[in-house]
Amino acid sequence: MSNDSKLFAEFPPISTKEWEDVIVKDLKGADYEKKLVWKTTEGFKVKPYYRKEDLESISYLQCKPGEFPYTRGDKAVNNHWEVRQDFKIKDINKCNALAKQAAQKGVQSVGLCASTVENLTQMEALLFGIDPIKTGMHFICSKSYEHTLDLFVQFLEKSKIDTTKVYGSINFDPIHFALTHGDFYESFEKNIIETKNIFTKFAKKLPNFRLITINAGCLHNSGSSIIQELGFGLAWANEYLVQLTQNGLGIDEIAPRIGFSFAMGSNYFMEIAKIRAARMLWAQIVKQYHPTQEKSCCAFIHAVSSSWNKSTYDPYVNLLRSTTETMSSAIGGADSINVTPFSEAFQDMDDFSARIARNQQIILKEESFMDKIADPAAGSYYVENLTDSIAQYSWKNFLTVEDMGGFNKAFESDFIQIEVEKSALAHNTDMATRKIVLTGVNQFPNLTESMLDEIKVSTPCACASKVVAKHKKLQPYRGAEAFESLRLETEKHAQKNGKRPKVFLLTYGNLSMRKARAGFATNFFGCAGYEIIDNAGFKTPIEGAQAALNAKADVVVLCSSDEEYAELVSATCPELQGKTKIVVAGFPKDSIDDFKKQGVEEFIHVKSNVLEILQNCQKQLLK
């Protein structure tokens, strides 16, 4: 018998039933589903653990990396991705300077704003010093993408650069325009003809250029769920396949020239699974068009840091968020990644923020070697099941759109926009009640931080449009905005009046309970930027009430145990009522009505709608 056999003989296999029996026993009668099974915002359930038998129904596991349906990536021997950095800067010289520096510092492709490039001289200025063969070229904004490509080809020919050796993309996507503006800038039919013309004119001249970008990330940044971003994004791409094949182009001409751009959020494992599911589903969709080359079924996926979860306050936390997002992108097998600057929410890109952003993924690639192993998530029972669940639920969204007649029909009926809006409202509620936590924003705020004078964001490089919206528009936003607006109003009030609203923590009684509730109250009111006056504890309620009045507190939070609140409320309310806002930290449900009669105006606890309560406070305090 081998040593390995002896070793494993010491650990006999444990069946799932045996595990479950132990878990049920440890729960001591608590509901298994409620305690241990997580229901995602996407609607499917995630078990507390997975075993080998949970993989038996997943068919793609028999395929290797580089094989159809490409769930495990399109690379058989490594996990290479393109380190990309975008520069949304209208100033041509500044855009060029930053892009050129990035290319010299390890970036493999650059995204360039061409919205102010109108002639060949300006195109030469934009690309000055950048080798388009060594560095990928991505034109991320333009007044006319066809005109931009014309100027780019002229630049290449004048510079005697072989156009077939240049790679990159253009951010051409009329459907994205319609979603964010409420209508197409021409009409759906005319924009499809325009799309066909771009393929006809540039497909052979620029064979390594992707000519359509599916900007599905705007769904995420408008508050969609993962399965909406993926399901609707696939239907969006399929609309182009349908229309262009009907207009005479072949699937092998179209599919390889389409790139997907997904926003990557902080839900680490879900985002890994999203990319893997996207590859699998897109391969199945393209296959139905009967391509002659199997590689036409490969999805090119560009991953971009989410903007939805980025904050103005405590901005260095954005670095942590974008790092996990970059890891999800790499492990999921993204073909290119763009990490946005940590300070993008409140200031333009500068040398420092650009350097940090590109180095985040360069470190993961060059020092953590995440590009060396094909499909690094393979074999994880958890990730494989997430991939399968996301694929199934996203496919349902895809089929719903197709049953409506395709993406354009769904857009014209406002279905896409309404569904995303519903998801955004759910996300907003979760933010307000802190089911979604953004550190530094709705939880654990930096009480001494001031950002009012730091906000210096230029006009976005996106081109202005005179399109009159005929349909609902997607509304990209940041989840932190509502909380941030409260805090900015507090800062404006402080600048004008020389002080912020004061919250006095009247701590009394049980030591552990008063400290815990004082900490909770500090985090709660700190989210609005109020001045928090903490205390070690008072010997009597009257002493605490007098100290609060002496401090000229705008809000007094009573912090004690439920058992001691009756004494504390009855003693302090007569002293404080009418002179300050009285709040109880906790929810002593049997005494709520009585306490309200005595003058308590609010109760703050873990189930509170933090945003709503703070908004009401602002109305009272910032008059």
Coordinates of all heavy atoms in Angstrom, one line a residue, residues 94-142:
K94 N -3.0 67.1 -23.9 CA -3.0 66.5 -22.6 C -3.3 65.0 -22.7 O -2.7 64.1 -22.0 CB -4.0 67.2 -21.7 CG -3.9 66.7 -20.2 CD -4.9 67.4 -19.3 CE -4.8 66.9 -17.9 NZ -5.7 67.6 -17.0
C95 N -4.3 64.6 -23.5 CA -4.6 63.2 -23.7 C -3.4 62.5 -24.3 O -3.1 61.4 -23.8 CB -5.8 63.1 -24.7 SG -6.5 61.5 -24.9
N96 N -2.8 63.0 -25.2 CA -1.6 62.4 -25.8 C -0.5 62.2 -24.8 O 0.1 61.1 -24.7 CB -1.1 63.2 -27.0 CG 0.3 62.8 -27.5 OD1 1.3 63.4 -27.2 ND2 0.3 61.7 -28.3
A97 N -0.2 63.2 -24.0 CA 0.9 63.2 -23.1 C 0.6 62.1 -22.0 O 1.6 61.3 -21.7 CB 1.0 64.5 -22.3
L98 N -0.6 62.0 -21.5 CA -0.9 60.9 -20.5 C -0.8 59.5 -21.2 O -0.3 58.6 -20.6 CB -2.2 61.2 -19.9 CG -2.3 62.3 -18.8 CD1 -3.7 62.6 -18.4 CD2 -1.4 62.0 -17.6
A99 N -1.4 59.4 -22.4 CA -1.4 58.1 -23.0 C 0.0 57.7 -23.4 O 0.4 56.5 -23.3 CB -2.3 58.2 -24.3
K100 N 0.8 58.6 -23.9 CA 2.2 58.3 -24.2 C 3.0 57.8 -23.0 O 3.7 56.8 -23.1 CB 2.9 59.5 -24.9 CG 4.3 59.2 -25.4 CD 4.7 60.4 -26.4 CE 4.6 61.7 -25.7 NZ 5.1 62.8 -26.6
Q101 N 2.8 58.5 -21.9 CA 3.4 58.1 -20.7 C 3.0 56.7 -20.2 O 3.8 55.9 -19.8 CB 3.1 59.1 -19.6 CG 3.9 58.9 -18.2 CD 3.5 59.9 -17.2 OE1 2.3 60.1 -16.9 NE2 4.4 60.5 -16.5
A102 N 1.7 56.5 -20.3 CA 1.2 55.2 -19.9 C 1.8 54.0 -20.8 O 2.1 53.0 -20.2 CB -0.4 55.2 -20.1
A103 N 1.9 54.3 -22.1 CA 2.5 53.3 -23.0 C 3.9 53.0 -22.6 O 4.4 51.8 -22.8 CB 2.4 53.8 -24.4
Q104 N 4.6 54.0 -22.1 CA 6.0 53.8 -21.6 C 6.1 53.1 -20.3 O 7.2 52.6 -19.9 CB 6.7 55.1 -21.6 CG 6.8 55.8 -23.0 CD 7.3 57.3 -22.9 OE1 7.3 57.8 -21.8 NE2 7.6 57.9 -24.0
K105 N 5.0 53.1 -19.5 CA 5.0 52.6 -18.1 C 4.3 51.2 -18.0 O 3.9 50.9 -16.9 CB 4.4 53.6 -17.2 CG 5.1 55.0 -17.2 CD 6.5 54.9 -16.5 CE 7.1 56.3 -16.4 NZ 8.4 56.2 -15.7
G106 N 4.1 50.5 -19.1 CA 3.6 49.2 -18.9 C 2.2 48.9 -19.5 O 1.8 47.8 -19.5
V107 N 1.5 50.0 -19.9 CA 0.2 49.8 -20.5 C 0.3 49.3 -21.9 O 1.2 49.7 -22.7 CB -0.6 51.1 -20.5 CG1 -1.8 51.1 -21.4 CG2 -1.0 51.5 -19.0
Q108 N -0.5 48.3 -22.3 CA -0.4 47.7 -23.6 C -1.4 48.2 -24.6 O -1.3 48.0 -25.8 CB -0.7 46.2 -23.4 CG 0.5 45.5 -22.6 CD 0.0 44.2 -22.1 OE1 -1.1 43.9 -21.7 NE2 1.0 43.2 -22.0
S109 N -2.4 48.9 -24.1 CA -3.3 49.6 -25.0 C -3.9 50.8 -24.4 O -4.0 50.9 -23.1 CB -4.5 48.7 -25.5 OG -5.3 48.3 -24.5
V110 N -4.3 51.8 -25.1 CA -4.8 53.1 -24.6 C -6.2 53.4 -25.2 O -6.4 53.2 -26.4 CB -3.8 54.2 -24.8 CG1 -2.6 54.0 -24.0 CG2 -3.5 54.4 -26.3
G111 N -7.1 54.0 -24.4 CA -8.3 54.5 -24.9 C -8.2 56.0 -25.1 O -7.9 56.7 -24.1
L112 N -8.5 56.5 -26.3 CA -8.3 57.9 -26.6 C -9.6 58.6 -26.9 O -10.4 58.1 -27.6 CB -7.3 58.1 -27.7 CG -5.9 57.4 -27.6 CD1 -5.2 57.4 -28.9 CD2 -5.2 58.1 -26.4
C113 N -9.7 59.8 -26.4 CA -10.9 60.7 -26.7 C -10.6 61.4 -28.0 O -9.6 62.2 -28.1 CB -11.1 61.7 -25.6 SG -12.4 62.9 -26.0
A114 N -11.4 61.1 -29.0 CA -11.3 61.8 -30.3 C -12.4 62.8 -30.6 O -12.6 63.1 -31.8 CB -11.2 60.7 -31.4
S115 N -13.1 63.2 -29.6 CA -14.3 64.1 -29.8 C -13.9 65.5 -30.4 O -14.7 66.1 -30.9 CB -15.0 64.2 -28.5 OG -14.2 64.9 -27.5
T116 N -12.6 65.9 -30.2 CA -12.2 67.2 -30.7 C -11.3 67.0 -31.9 O -10.7 68.0 -32.4 CB -11.5 68.0 -29.6 OG1 -10.4 67.3 -29.1 CG2 -12.5 68.4 -28.5
V117 N -11.1 65.8 -32.4 CA -10.2 65.5 -33.5 C -11.0 65.7 -34.8 O -11.9 64.9 -35.1 CB -9.6 64.1 -33.4 CG1 -8.7 63.8 -34.7 CG2 -8.7 64.0 -32.2
E118 N -10.7 66.7 -35.6 CA -11.5 67.0 -36.8 C -10.7 66.9 -38.1 O -11.3 66.8 -39.2 CB -12.1 68.4 -36.7 CG -13.1 68.5 -35.5 CD -13.7 69.9 -35.4 OE1 -13.3 70.8 -36.2 OE2 -14.6 70.1 -34.6
N119 N -9.4 66.8 -38.0 CA -8.6 66.7 -39.2 C -7.3 65.9 -38.9 O -7.0 65.5 -37.8 CB -8.2 68.1 -39.7 CG -7.5 68.9 -38.6 OD1 -6.5 68.5 -38.0 ND2 -8.0 70.2 -38.4
L120 N -6.6 65.6 -40.0 CA -5.4 64.8 -39.9 C -4.3 65.3 -39.0 O -3.7 64.6 -38.2 CB -4.8 64.5 -41.3 CG -3.6 63.6 -41.4 CD1 -3.9 62.2 -40.8 CD2 -3.1 63.5 -42.8
T121 N -4.1 66.6 -39.0 CA -3.1 67.3 -38.1 C -3.5 67.0 -36.7 O -2.6 66.7 -35.9 CB -3.1 68.8 -38.4 OG1 -2.8 69.0 -39.8 CG2 -2.1 69.4 -37.5
Q122 N -4.7 67.1 -36.3 CA -5.1 66.8 -34.9 C -5.0 65.3 -34.6 O -4.6 65.0 -33.4 CB -6.6 67.3 -34.7 CG -6.7 68.8 -34.7 CD -8.1 69.3 -34.7 OE1 -9.0 68.6 -35.1 NE2 -8.3 70.5 -34.1
M123 N -5.3 64.4 -35.5 CA -5.1 63.0 -35.3 C -3.6 62.7 -35.1 O -3.2 61.9 -34.2 CB -5.6 62.2 -36.5 CG -5.4 60.7 -36.3 SD -6.2 59.9 -34.9 CE -7.9 59.9 -35.5
E124 N -2.7 63.4 -35.8 CA -1.3 63.2 -35.6 C -0.9 63.7 -34.3 O 0.0 63.0 -33.6 CB -0.5 64.0 -36.7 CG -0.6 63.3 -38.1 CD 0.0 64.2 -39.2 OE1 0.0 65.4 -39.0 OE2 0.4 63.6 -40.2
A125 N -1.5 64.8 -33.8 CA -1.1 65.3 -32.5 C -1.6 64.3 -31.4 O -0.9 64.1 -30.4 CB -1.8 66.7 -32.3
L126 N -2.8 63.7 -31.6 CA -3.3 62.8 -30.6 C -2.4 61.5 -30.5 O -2.3 61.0 -29.4 CB -4.7 62.4 -31.0 CG -5.5 61.4 -30.0 CD1 -5.7 62.1 -28.7 CD2 -6.8 61.0 -30.7
L127 N -1.9 61.1 -31.6 CA -1.1 59.8 -31.6 C 0.4 60.0 -31.6 O 1.2 59.1 -31.6 CB -1.5 59.0 -32.8 CG -3.0 58.7 -33.0 CD1 -3.2 57.8 -34.3 CD2 -3.5 57.9 -31.8
F128 N 0.8 61.3 -31.4 CA 2.3 61.6 -31.5 C 3.1 60.8 -30.4 O 2.7 60.8 -29.3 CB 2.5 63.1 -31.2 CG 3.9 63.5 -31.2 CD1 4.7 63.6 -32.4 CD2 4.6 63.7 -30.0 CE1 6.0 63.9 -32.4 CE2 5.9 64.1 -30.0 CZ 6.7 64.2 -31.2
G129 N 4.1 60.1 -30.9 CA 5.0 59.3 -30.0 C 4.4 58.0 -29.6 O 5.1 57.3 -28.8
I130 N 3.3 57.6 -30.0 CA 2.7 56.3 -29.7 C 2.8 55.3 -30.9 O 2.3 55.7 -31.9 CB 1.2 56.4 -29.2 CG1 1.1 57.4 -28.0 CG2 0.7 55.1 -28.7 CD1 -0.3 57.8 -27.6
D131 N 3.4 54.2 -30.7 CA 3.5 53.2 -31.8 C 2.2 52.4 -31.8 O 2.0 51.5 -30.9 CB 4.7 52.3 -31.5 CG 5.0 51.3 -32.7 OD1 4.0 51.1 -33.5 OD2 6.1 50.8 -32.7
P132 N 1.4 52.5 -32.9 CA 0.1 51.8 -32.9 C 0.2 50.3 -33.2 O -0.8 49.6 -33.1 CB -0.7 52.5 -34.0 CG 0.4 53.2 -34.9 CD 1.5 53.5 -34.0
I133 N 1.4 49.9 -33.5 CA 1.6 48.4 -33.6 C 1.9 47.8 -32.3 O 1.4 46.7 -31.9 CB 2.8 48.1 -34.6 CG1 2.3 48.5 -36.1 CG2 3.2 46.6 -34.6 CD1 3.4 48.3 -37.1
K134 N 2.7 48.5 -31.5 CA 3.1 48.0 -30.1 C 2.0 48.2 -29.1 O 1.8 47.5 -28.1 CB 4.4 48.6 -29.7 CG 5.6 48.2 -30.5 CD 6.8 48.9 -29.9 CE 8.1 48.5 -30.7 NZ 9.3 49.1 -30.2
T135 N 1.2 49.3 -29.3 CA 0.2 49.7 -28.4 C -1.2 49.7 -29.0 O -1.4 50.3 -30.1 CB 0.5 51.1 -27.8 OG1 1.8 51.2 -27.3 CG2 -0.5 51.6 -26.8
G136 N -2.1 49.0 -28.4 CA -3.5 49.0 -29.0 C -4.1 50.3 -28.9 O -4.0 51.1 -28.0
M137 N -4.9 50.6 -30.0 CA -5.6 51.9 -30.1 C -7.1 51.7 -30.0 O -7.7 51.0 -30.7 CB -5.3 52.5 -31.5 CG -3.9 52.9 -31.8 SD -3.4 54.4 -30.9 CE -2.0 53.8 -30.0
H138 N -7.7 52.4 -29.0 CA -9.1 52.3 -28.8 C -9.7 53.7 -28.7 O -9.3 54.5 -27.9 CB -9.4 51.6 -27.4 CG -8.8 50.3 -27.3 ND1 -9.5 49.1 -27.8 CD2 -7.6 49.8 -26.8 CE1 -8.7 48.1 -27.6 NE2 -7.6 48.5 -27.0
F139 N -10.5 54.0 -29.7 CA -11.1 55.4 -29.8 C -12.4 55.3 -29.0 O -13.4 54.7 -29.4 CB -11.3 55.8 -31.2 CG -10.1 56.0 -32.0 CD1 -9.6 55.0 -32.9 CD2 -9.2 57.1 -31.7 CE1 -8.4 55.2 -33.6 CE2 -8.0 57.2 -32.4 CZ -7.6 56.3 -33.3
I140 N -12.4 55.9 -27.8 CA -13.5 55.7 -26.9 C -14.6 56.8 -27.0 O -15.7 56.6 -26.5 CB -13.0 55.7 -25.4 CG1 -12.2 57.0 -25.1 CG2 -12.2 54.5 -25.2 CD1 -11.8 57.1 -23.6
C141 N -14.4 57.9 -27.7 CA -15.4 58.9 -27.9 C -15.1 59.7 -29.1 O -13.9 60.0 -29.4 CB -15.7 59.8 -26.7 SG -14.2 60.4 -25.9
S142 N -16.1 60.1 -29.9 CA -15.9 60.8 -31.1 C -17.2 61.4 -31.6 O -18.3 60.9 -31.2 CB -15.4 59.8 -32.2 OG -15.3 60.5 -33.4

